[in-house]
Amino acid sequence: MTRGSAVVLGATGQVGRAAVRALARDGWQVRAVSRGGGRDEDWPDEVRALRADREDDAALAAVLGDGCDVLVDMVAYGPGHARQLKGLADRIGSAVVISSGAVYEDDKGRSFDTQDEPDGFPAYPVPIPETQATVSPGEASYGTRKVALERDLLAAGAVLPTTLLRAGAIHGPYCRGPRELFFVKRALDRRPVRILAYNGRSRFHPVHVGNLAELIRLAAAKPGSRVLNAGDPDVPTVLEISAGVDAALGVTSETVLLDGPAPVGTVGLTPWGLDRPIVYDMTAAERELGYRAVTSYAAALPATVEWLARQLDGRDWLEIFSNLQKYKEDWFDYAAEDSWLNGTR
């Protein structure tokens, strides 16, 4: 028995691939929409792949046709996309929209937007509940646009019930900006040492694409207007991630732990932040949706590492993962690391 019809926007992206697969296997009739109109090899044959740019209102209306029971949106940002979805509310039974943990601010008003300022890295409660304050809505940043999107869609709950999933650090195959690359490339380069600031304690709550797809599947079957955190059951330290990557690739490296921040430049810094943990409270998702993770970070890591190793084979990392250029840092400044190591030994 079919559960109904589902339209997935951004279907060939990292999360979209997994979401289409999860929904189809759960009995939904899925229309997988992307700009290229492509398919994932693991999708069931009955999934319909359609081409449309969600920025084109007419194209989006055309793929919706007479409507759908649930619309899943991976690529919604800001009030413009909220208005677009609300304008089609008479054709959509409910929606599930990906938001981000980047919406939160701490009790001093610090957020991801201030992290590069002096003492600007946020100090959130552990764990962070959905009731934690958020940045102000607006067009200034990724986080402010997501907040604007959230508020507009929640206000439209009477006509378009929407579940907004505040995702943590998304990981798994097809990631455009994989943090795990930081250690995978070092292992493949036979780099013998890992320098970790803050004694390797940094933690940034991850969410595997399979767990995010499970949350989408559950929210699709239980419509409502709400925001929920989206995370894995485990939140490893950067030291644990480093060891896990090395183990997956069969290498052994020396770990140099620093008591504090980078001694010079970016030596010792990683994409997982500072010594202030970012951990999301998952009890609301468990209570409201019956969420139980389908995998853990540790269990999923080897497959992610294998996929990254295949992508790097004979290619430049910034060519493959151009999205990482936004960090404006050289993640692999081995000369700076060697210079510092040679000066301390």
Side-chain angles (χ1 to χ4, degrees):
M1 183 178 72
T2 180
R3 284 187 174 272
S5 61
V7 170
V8 178
L9 304 182
T12 56
Q14 182 192 18
V15 181
R17 291 170 186 264
V20 169
R21 186 164 56 248
L23 290 168
R25 290 176 178 173
D26 200 34
W28 292 88
Q29 296 175 334
V30 182
R31 281 170 274 172
V33 182
S34 65
R35 284 183 295 182
R39 295 184 62 87
D40 184 278
E41 61 184 13
D42 291 332
W43 289 349
D45 292 341
E46 57 267 26
V47 170
R48 291 177 57 200
L50 301 173
R51 184 194 305 268
D53 186 341
R54 68 89 35 78
E55 301 296 340
D56 184 333
D57 291 350
L60 182 56
V63 296
L64 277 175
D66 292 335
C68 62
D69 295 298
V70 62
L71 180 140
V72 182
D73 196 341
M74 312 296 170
V75 287
Y77 301 98
H81 288 161
R83 286 193 296 272
Q84 183 188 52
L85 295 181
K86 288 188 295 184
L88 296 166
D90 60 337
R91 304 193 206 178
I92 303 170
S94 68
V96 183
V97 176
I98 303 301
S99 186
S100 169
V103 301
Y104 291 117
E105 68 177 16
D106 72 6
D107 295 341
K108 294 185 177 180
R110 295 173 298 195
S111 67
F112 290 177
D113 291 342
T114 65
Q115 61 184 316
D116 293 328
E117 301 173 6
D119 192 31
F121 198 88
Y124 295 119
V126 178
I128 307 169
E130 288 87 348
T131 54
Q132 178 69 21
T134 66
V135 297
S136 297
E139 295 287 348
S141 69
Y142 176 82
T144 63
R145 291 175 69 195
K146 283 292 192 182
V147 171
L149 172 77
E150 286 187 0
R151 294 190 182 181
D152 283 359
L153 290 176
L154 289 174
V159 295
L160 182 59
T162 302
T163 298
L164 292 135
L165 297 174
R166 291 174 174 170
I170 302 173
H171 64 104
Y174 300 102
C175 185
R176 295 174 60 200
R179 290 172 173 81
E180 290 75 15
L181 179 71
F182 186 86
F183 292 123
V184 171
K185 180 171 165 54
R186 280 172 163 74
L188 295 175
D189 289 344
R190 304 298 179 189
R191 183 72 183 160
V193 63
R194 312 283 182 264
I195 307 171
L196 303 179
Y198 310 108
N199 284 308
R201 293 189 305 262
S202 303
R203 291 197 299 160
F204 186 172
H205 203 147
V207 59
H208 186 262
V209 289
N211 289 330
L212 197 43
E214 175 67 0
L215 283 160
I216 291 168
R217 183 188 73 84
L218 293 168
K222 191 176 181 180
S225 291
R226 58 203 164 203
V227 292
L228 296 171
N229 289 331
D232 288 344
D234 50 339
V235 188
T237 66
V238 70
L239 178 60
E240 292 168 333
I241 294 171
S242 174
V245 170
D246 278 5
L249 289 171
V251 304
T252 300
S253 56
E254 177 189 1
T255 301
V256 176
L257 297 178
L258 309 177
D259 286 338
V264 59
T266 60
V267 172
L269 296 185
T270 74
W272 286 270
L274 308 184
D275 60 341
R276 298 172 181 174
I278 299 171
V279 179
Y280 300 115
D281 189 340
M282 293 303 300
T283 56
E286 294 165 2
R287 181 184 64 249
E288 296 192 25
L289 298 181
Y291 169 64
R292 297 293 182 270
V294 300
T295 190
S296 66
Y297 185 90
L301 183 59
T304 299
V305 171
E306 180 184 0
W307 180 82
L308 284 169
R310 289 200 307 269
Q311 304 310 302
L312 287 170
D313 189 13
R315 300 171 65 192
D316 179 79
W317 67 281
L318 275 177
E319 172 192 343
I320 310 164
F321 303 111
S322 57
N323 198 48
L324 293 176
Q325 295 184 30
K326 66 184 180 183
Y327 292 102
K328 300 179 181 179
E329 293 176 356
D330 183 357
W331 280 11
F332 308 104
D333 191 349
Y334 297 156
E337 293 179 2
D338 287 339
S339 177
W340 180 80
L341 287 168
N342 291 335
T344 60
R345 296 181 174 181

